[in-house]
Amino acid sequence: MAPENVIELSIPGKIAVPTDELEHLRSAFASLLELHYGSRADWRETAIKLEIEGWDVQCSLTWHVEARRKHDFEEACGATRAEAYRNVFDLTRMDVTEGCT
C-alpha cells in the first residue's frame, strides 16, 4: 500500500482549538487543496490569458462577512476575520450616521 501524502501542522500554543473543531479544520484544508489542485482548478487557464493580455494578476484568500437587518444589507472582505468584521462594522456605522436606519 502506497503511503499517503501527509502534512503536519503544529498549532501555536496561544491558539486553543477545541477538539470538536479539529475536523472542521481538516475539512477546510482539504477543500483548499481541492480548489487549488483538483478538477475545478480551471482558474489557471484564465490567469494565463489575463497575463498574456498584460494584466498583473494577484490572488489571495480573504474573509467575507455579510450583515443583514430587515431590508439593510452590508458586506465586506478582509485579509483576516477581524479586518473583515471591522470593515463591515464601519459600513453599518455609515448607515446609522447617514440616517438610513
Side-chain angles (χ1 to χ4, degrees):
M1 186 169 159
E4 291 186 47
N5 289 332
V6 176
I7 296 175
E8 288 190 28
L9 174 68
S10 296
I11 299 172
K14 65 181 180 178
I15 299 175
V17 179
T19 305
D20 61 336
E21 291 184 13
L22 288 175
E23 188 56 38
H24 291 108
L25 291 174
R26 286 185 192 97
S27 295
F29 191 67
S31 296
L32 288 172
L33 289 171
E34 178 61 30
L35 286 170
H36 186 76
Y37 297 105
S39 58
R40 298 188 59 208
D42 57 354
W43 59 267
R44 286 186 181 95
E45 292 177 19
T46 305
I48 290 168
K49 288 176 187 175
L50 288 167
E51 289 170 352
I52 289 171
E53 293 177 4
W55 294 97
D56 179 24
V57 181
Q58 302 297 316
C59 180
S60 64
L61 297 175
T62 62
W63 287 90
H64 178 254
V65 177
E66 295 179 356
R68 299 172 188 269
R69 182 179 60 195
K70 298 181 184 174
H71 300 290
D72 297 327
F73 174 79
E74 297 294 349
E75 62 183 330
C77 294
T80 64
R81 183 186 300 196
E83 180 183 0
Y85 270 93
R86 280 193 309 274
N87 292 343
V88 82
F89 181 79
D90 290 345
L91 292 171
T92 63
R93 295 302 93 199
M94 285 194 286
D95 286 343
V96 172
T97 59
E98 297 295 324
C100 296
T101 58

